[in-house]
Amino acid sequence: MQSPQPANGPSSHVLVVDDDAFLRATIRAALEVEGIAVEEASGGQAGVQAFSGELPSLVLLDINMPDLDGLSACRQMRNAPGGGEIPIVILTGHSDMATIDRAMDAGATDFLSKPLSVSLLRQRVMTLLRAAETSRELRSTFGELRRSTRNLEHSNALARVGLWEWDEGMDGVALSAHAIELLGASTAFPSVPEFVASSVHPEDRPEFEKRITRLGETGGHTQFTHRLLRADGAVLEVEHRIEVNTDANGIASIWGTFQDVTERRRAEEVARRLSYFDALTGVANQHTLDAHLRRCIAGSNDQRVALLLLDLDRFHRINDSLGRHAGDDLLREVALRLRKLSEEDETGSIAVARPGGNEFAIPLAYIDDPREAGVLARKVMATVGEPVQVAGHELTMTATFGIAIYPDDGADSEELMRNAGTALKAAKRGGPGNVRFFGESLNRAAAERMTLEAELRDALDSGHIRPHFQAKFDGASGAVVGAEALARWTKPDGTKVPPSEFIPIAEEIGLIGRLGNVILDATCKCLKSWTDRGLVPVPISVNVSSAESNSGLVESATRIVE
């Protein structure tokens, strides 16, 4: 299905071929904001048919599809009229060299690993579209540009594009002025092999030479990213397009364009890190933690996977007293210690993530005994408890742990995270430095807690929480001299909920202010009723939270009583 063209004129046209409808929709949303028209195909056969109908500017092609796999589809697209010039990017969950080599042999221009980073996808597509457009323009005007070297070099300097050329009638490899500037090289190389030996990074030379050899056998072009060495030893990352024309005797001519994308690659790496890693501490973020847990669970066989959630005790007090920057420094130091602990583990089964706030998560993969998680918790507690200097103060931290074990406490990563969080809350109620494993009793307690929270909200709305007055007596005369209004909750079925249960919940979920208002309102109405009946009221005290103390309590109470 073809998306509409933007109102400001024709856009690039990207064909997305994938049997995953959700992924196609995600890619469409990411590209359409850049003004790129998106066409979708739900399988390899449909993708080849769409490609043959109207050549797209670029193809995003899944490698695994039920009807026709991506590599076969890629070969058919390359053999279609005009298909040799279209960038084709393979989408694959396999990033091993064998898979990449098969994709390149099938005619792929590039590949992207799944799961996709939206920002990286967008940047890579924009880069390839620009490169393809640049190559088309350079090819169509190459003869004219050779006669207009000054204009060409000015344009290439802006785009950081260098050109090189060799044919049988030339003494060596010719470089454009900007290619010479980018490489810091002499004006020519005696041969293509010497150009490769002098300018291509040693680790990238085998791939470069393999592509040149393949083009010498088949003709056509290739486009790929690799590193070039400047004469001064600096390394550039470039996107390189090479075309080879052949005749009956072999290679007749070679020409290439390379664009310096070093700074753009650095920006892409920053974007990638922001997508997968916590910006403050550098450890994995929630997204990466979820993916890691899913991989651990999928490969666990008959072994267990533990998830430790730790909360730094009294962290908010440090933030409040020493400032946010001191809190950030403390989080970075804790993350550094946890990373070191992970790196020292010879089994490689420990990872570190920061889901957010002052919490860290430590997945422990492939254990046989759940007690191993408790042993790790004690190691982490000792590591975190070592003194640390923050903002000129020596601090000694403690941590509280909640632990959940797969498959005992959760069938998937989401349930494991949720139950580890439940265990952490239970541990925090026991005080700093506690360790709590999740269990069925905690699961029941969590469900009962959620039910009680809902019933508390309903009780505040329906008037089932009322003040009960506890009298104060004069010790000498025995006369009533005052009273205290106490919140009491009686459910419709007559069940009484102890204040020790519902008042802490009201404080935790932000209903304590509302509870105080309900009791104050009912007390004031009782006082008004007693006064109207001619009774002499006594002083009544009502406990209110600090959040209510500046919220017009006096005015509200006076208005009710009067």
Side-chain angles (χ1 to χ4, degrees):
M1 84 188 141
Q2 181 79 39
S3 62
Q5 295 287 337
N8 60 355
S11 69
S12 298
H13 165 204
V14 172
L15 173 61
V16 181
V17 186
D18 199 302
D19 59 337
D20 185 338
F22 177 78
L23 183 61
R24 297 200 307 272
T26 299
I27 294 173
R28 172 185 288 275
L31 298 185
E32 285 187 340
V33 297
E34 299 294 340
I36 298 173
V38 176
E39 183 179 7
E40 296 179 25
S42 60
Q45 294 286 9
V48 172
Q49 185 176 356
F51 185 95
S52 302
E54 178 183 356
L55 283 179
S57 309
L58 182 143
V59 179
L60 296 172
L61 181 60
D62 185 24
I63 199 169
N64 291 321
M65 289 177 288
D67 61 337
L68 181 66
D69 67 88
L71 300 185
S72 300
C74 182
R75 294 186 188 95
Q76 293 186 30
M77 291 176 182
R78 284 296 182 220
N79 292 330
E85 307 298 329
I86 307 301
I88 299 177
V89 180
I90 293 292
L91 308 178
T92 176
H94 306 284
S95 55
D96 57 284
M97 289 307 301
T99 301
I100 295 170
D101 282 341
R102 288 198 303 272
M104 295 306 171
D105 288 338
T109 306
D110 205 346
F111 77 99
L112 279 170
S113 295
K114 293 182 178 179
L116 295 179
S117 163
V118 170
S119 57
L120 189 59
L121 165 73
R122 188 183 294 125
Q123 289 183 356
R124 187 68 60 83
V125 167
M126 297 297 289
T127 296
L128 288 171
L129 288 174
R130 282 194 298 268
E133 181 62 22
T134 300
S135 296
R136 283 194 295 271
E137 293 174 356
L138 290 175
R139 256 193 333 275
S140 64
T141 58
F142 191 74
E144 179 181 350
L145 288 175
R146 288 183 66 182
R147 293 187 297 270
S148 308
T149 304
R150 183 176 300 174
N151 291 339
L152 171 64
E153 289 305 321
H154 176 69
S155 173
N156 288 345
L158 292 176
R160 297 188 65 77
V161 172
L163 310 178
W164 63 274
E165 183 182 10
W166 173 89
D167 66 36
E168 293 175 335
M170 298 170 62
D171 293 333
V173 177
L175 301 174
S176 68
H178 196 60
I180 294 170
E181 180 183 337
L182 286 172
L183 293 172
S186 60
T187 57
F189 291 96
S191 65
V192 172
E194 187 163 333
F195 168 66
V196 173
S198 300
S199 302
V200 178
H201 193 282
E203 294 178 5
D204 298 341
R205 284 173 196 161
E207 176 65 18
F208 194 101
E209 291 167 348
K210 183 170 71 173
R211 287 174 179 260
I212 291 285
T213 301
R214 187 184 301 151
L215 289 177
E217 296 169 353
T218 63
H221 76 277
T222 186
Q223 184 169 314
F224 61 111
T225 301
H226 66 92
R227 290 163 294 177
L228 287 178
L229 287 175
R230 285 178 49 85
D232 59 9
V235 177
L236 301 180
E237 190 162 3
V238 298
E239 288 180 350
H240 206 149
R241 179 185 173 90
I242 302 172
E243 279 200 24
V244 172
N245 294 317
T246 59
D247 56 22
N249 298 318
I251 297 177
S253 64
I254 309 174
W255 68 270
T257 64
F258 58 88
Q259 184 176 26
D260 179 11
V261 295
T262 307
E263 292 303 319
R264 188 161 72 242
R265 286 288 192 244
R266 287 173 183 161
E268 288 178 354
E269 176 60 20
V270 170
R272 188 190 71 83
R273 288 200 63 81
L274 289 176
S275 296
Y276 294 102
F277 297 92
D278 176 49
L280 176 65
T281 64
V283 299
N285 60 15
Q286 180 69 60
H287 173 81
T288 305
L289 171 62
D290 291 340
H292 178 75
L293 279 175
R294 287 194 295 270
R295 286 195 299 271
C296 289
I297 289 172
S300 61
N301 295 321
D302 294 328
Q303 292 181 296
R304 290 178 167 90
V305 177
L307 176 62
L308 289 74
L309 280 186
L310 72 93
D311 183 280
L312 297 178
D313 299 323
R314 296 182 291 273
F315 175 80
H316 295 294
R317 188 181 302 173
I318 294 170
N319 242 5
D320 294 340
S321 59
L322 300 182
R324 182 176 59 82
H325 293 299
D328 289 349
D329 289 343
L330 178 60
L331 290 171
R332 279 190 284 262
E333 174 62 25
V334 170
L336 184 65
R337 294 180 181 185
L338 295 179
R339 269 205 311 267
K340 185 178 179 182
L341 188 68
S342 171
E343 292 165 359
E344 291 173 351
D345 175 58
E346 295 181 355
T347 66
S349 60
I350 301 174
V352 180
R354 180 182 173 227
N358 58 313
E359 287 187 6
F360 288 88
I362 305 176
L364 176 59
Y366 314 138
I367 60 176
D368 297 313
D369 189 337
R371 287 175 293 186
E372 294 179 45
V375 172
L376 177 60
R378 288 192 290 275
K379 285 183 182 178
V380 173
M381 195 177 296
T383 298
V384 172
E386 295 174 4
V388 57
Q389 291 288 332
V390 175
H393 298 265
E394 183 174 275
L395 305 177
T396 300
M397 299 298 297
T398 59
T400 300
F401 291 79
I403 303 174
I405 308 290
Y406 167 87
D408 311 68
D409 303 331
D412 54 35
S413 61
E414 183 178 348
E415 190 175 6
L416 204 62
M417 279 290 298
R418 183 172 64 249
N419 291 340
T422 298
L424 177 59
K425 290 177 183 177
K428 289 168 70 175
R429 286 196 290 271
N434 254 322
V435 178
R436 184 70 182 265
F437 280 78
F438 182 83
E440 186 58 34
S441 60
L442 271 185
N443 195 20
R444 286 196 303 269
E448 290 168 1
R449 164 65 181 259
M450 292 177 64
T451 300
L452 198 59
E453 287 181 11
E455 290 177 342
L456 176 59
R457 296 179 190 276
D458 182 65
L460 289 172
D461 290 334
S462 60
H464 290 130
I465 297 181
R466 300 283 300 164
H468 283 215
F469 301 105
Q470 180 171 290
K472 297 179 181 179
F473 297 93
D474 181 271
S477 65
V480 176
V481 294
E484 182 179 3
L486 304 174
R488 293 294 184 265
W489 177 8
T490 303
K491 294 184 178 182
D493 63 2
T495 303
K496 298 183 183 300
V497 183
S500 59
E501 288 188 18
F502 71 83
I503 289 178
I505 292 177
E507 290 175 339
E508 288 182 26
I509 64 177
L511 291 180
I512 193 66
R514 188 173 168 201
L515 175 60
N517 282 335
V518 167
I519 299 303
L520 178 64
D521 181 77
T523 300
C524 290
K525 287 178 179 177
C526 284
L527 284 171
K528 179 71 165 59
S529 173
W530 296 339
T531 302
D532 291 344
R533 290 157 55 189
L535 300 174
V536 178
V538 294
I540 298 178
S541 61
V542 179
N543 291 321
V544 297
S545 73
S546 58
E548 298 173 86
S549 59
N550 295 317
S551 59
L553 272 179
V554 175
E555 293 83 354
S556 175
T558 302
R559 186 167 54 254
I560 295 170
V561 172
E562 293 178 347

